[in-house]
Amino acid sequence: MKLTWYGHSAFRIETADANILIDPYLVGNPSWTGGWEGPAEQVTHVLLTHGHNDHVSGALEVLKKSGAMLVANYEICMYLVGKGASGEKINPGNIGGTVDCGAFTTTFVQALHSSSFGGEGGQNTYLGNPGGLVLHFPEDKTLYHMGDTDIFSDMALINELHEPKIGIVPVGDRFTMGGAVAALACRRFFRFDTVVPCHFGTFPIIDQTAEKFVAGMEGSGVDVALPGIGQTILSRKTVAL
């Protein structure tokens, strides 16, 4: 498995049978100035944890170019279909449900957050419940993208049910849990092999580094991977693209 980080919560996950973009904030992202076209190459699936602009902006462009399958809650799927995405390429679900994505399955799990898309004049379009996404691969480790969330005790059930070994964890504070709390969540509720912190450094009002998370994970025995923007994690090594 290869993971490439495009800043904020945007990741590309490549396996033998799928090329996946999760929360592809590739349009308007201050951390990523490389455009959406490159990350969209040969993408087979676009997964969205919730409807906020800093997670969805770029998804429509990618979907139109790639013809990828959209995996998200029903409200997000129908919102993007209304904006021009193909209604034949959606795979909607909701919290507690698992959907077959062909090369893998996606389970929708709880997240403590909100979900809407901001428009002109301060208007917000409601886009269903926020969630995390657990990806099960037949020949690779299970990955859990937490989306935007605070810590919650039912993370223990997510671990019991799914045993994820790779965690993508928001650490930026203000809109998600901060680094110290995120480290507590990882240490108390999970048995990750590798964790990747995200949702930091994008805007001035959130934490600019993952230092608090890294400090909180010291001595845990978990590999904390810190790729640079546009870099790929491969077998615990970081390779610049």
Side-chain angles (χ1 to χ4, degrees):
M1 180 185 294
K2 295 168 60 177
L3 284 82
T4 304
W5 186 41
Y6 297 111
H8 212 52
S9 299
F11 288 85
R12 178 174 169 129
I13 300 165
E14 299 177 43
T15 68
D17 300 310
N19 295 316
I20 305 158
L21 282 175
I22 302 183
D23 288 355
Y25 182 29
L26 302 170
V27 174
N29 182 349
S31 297
W32 171 254
T33 58
W36 59 267
E37 294 87 351
E41 288 294 329
Q42 299 182 322
V43 163
T44 57
H45 301 77
V46 172
L47 277 57
L48 299 172
T49 61
H50 65 290
H52 284 155
N53 300 49
D54 59 339
H55 294 255
V56 172
S57 296
L60 186 60
E61 289 85 349
V62 172
L63 289 165
K64 286 182 174 180
K65 176 182 180 180
S66 65
M69 176 188 292
L70 171 61
V71 182
N73 69 35
Y74 179 79
E75 290 84 355
I76 292 174
C77 285
M78 298 316 297
Y79 175 78
L80 290 176
V81 168
K83 296 295 184 180
S86 172
E88 297 180 356
K89 291 292 188 73
I90 61 173
N91 197 355
N94 214 324
I95 305 303
T98 297
V99 297
D100 186 349
C101 301
F104 60 98
T105 63
T106 300
T107 301
F108 295 80
V109 297
Q110 176 179 316
L112 297 181
H113 197 56
S114 57
S115 179
S116 63
F117 193 86
E120 295 181 0
Q123 294 184 348
N124 283 278
T125 301
Y126 166 74
L127 288 180
N129 293 321
L133 301 172
V134 181
L135 280 58
H136 286 274
F137 301 94
E139 303 295 335
D140 221 320
K141 294 180 179 180
T142 297
L143 180 147
Y144 173 29
H145 191 306
M146 293 185 181
D148 284 4
T149 190
D150 188 16
I151 191 173
F152 54 93
S153 60
D154 280 352
M155 285 178 168
L157 285 175
I158 295 173
N159 183 70
E160 181 179 348
L161 290 168
H162 300 285
E163 298 182 337
K165 293 303 177 184
I166 301 172
I168 297 177
V169 186
V171 303
D173 215 341
R174 185 179 287 263
F175 300 110
T176 71
M177 54 189 170
V181 174
L184 175 63
C186 291
R187 297 181 71 132
R188 176 169 294 185
F189 297 123
F190 296 99
R191 298 293 181 268
F192 290 126
D193 293 336
T194 303
V195 290
V196 186
C198 67
H199 209 282
F200 66 91
T202 319
F203 310 110
I205 58 174
I206 60 177
D207 284 355
Q208 296 302 291
T209 73
E211 290 178 359
K212 296 174 185 176
F213 179 74
V214 173
M217 293 300 294
E218 287 183 2
S220 66
V222 178
D223 179 26
V224 179
L226 278 169
I229 305 297
Q231 291 186 323
T232 297
I233 304 167
L234 176 61
S235 299
R236 296 193 177 188
K237 296 180 181 179
T238 302
V239 182
L241 290 180

